[in-house]
Amino acid sequence: GACAAEDPACLPPFNSSAPYNVSDLPGPEPGRFIVDAAGLLDASALADLHDNLTDINETYRLSPYVLTVDVIAQNAATYREFARRVLREWRPFNGTRKADRSIVIIVT
């Protein structure tokens, strides 16, 4: 069914087990910090995690992203490279194109 835009559990479908490039990943919705591409989190976990990440963002002026994937992208050799590419791709979603304080936690 259709999701309400304000629902943190409402995420675009994505198959992170198939071969993909970092640019294929959906970015987080504005004001959101989670992309559950692997579908690991239930609605309750998404809501709790969203609240915690929002608190971190407001307290520390840091954009703390969480990304779940089945495997890292085929165009990234290491998790570090993958994380850097993800942050570069997601800059437009965090409201700035200049360098900011961001971190991405990748869960596989």
Side-chain angles (χ1 to χ4, degrees):
C3 293
E6 65 279 356
D7 182 357
C10 184
L11 299 168
F14 182 80
N15 180 4
S16 67
S17 62
Y20 67 95
N21 290 316
V22 172
S23 60
D24 298 331
L25 282 168
E29 296 294 320
R32 303 287 180 200
F33 302 101
I34 307 164
V35 173
D36 185 17
L40 300 177
L41 305 170
D42 64 22
S44 175
L46 283 167
D48 289 345
L49 185 56
H50 171 75
D51 290 345
N52 288 325
L53 295 174
T54 299
D55 288 346
I56 290 169
N57 176 254
E58 292 170 356
T59 303
Y60 299 103
R61 301 186 70 192
L62 171 77
S63 297
Y65 297 106
V66 172
L67 168 64
T68 71
V69 292
D70 293 311
V71 295
I72 64 172
Q74 63 187 4
N75 66 336
T78 65
Y79 279 95
R80 183 178 187 160
E81 179 185 352
F82 181 58
R84 286 181 174 173
R85 287 176 183 236
V86 166
L87 287 175
R88 274 196 300 269
E89 287 290 326
W90 286 1
R91 277 221 176 96
F93 294 100
N94 66 20
T96 181
R97 292 197 181 270
K98 63 182 179 186
D100 68 346
R101 292 170 26 117
S102 299
I103 186 172
V104 62
I105 300 165
I106 299 166
V107 180
T108 58

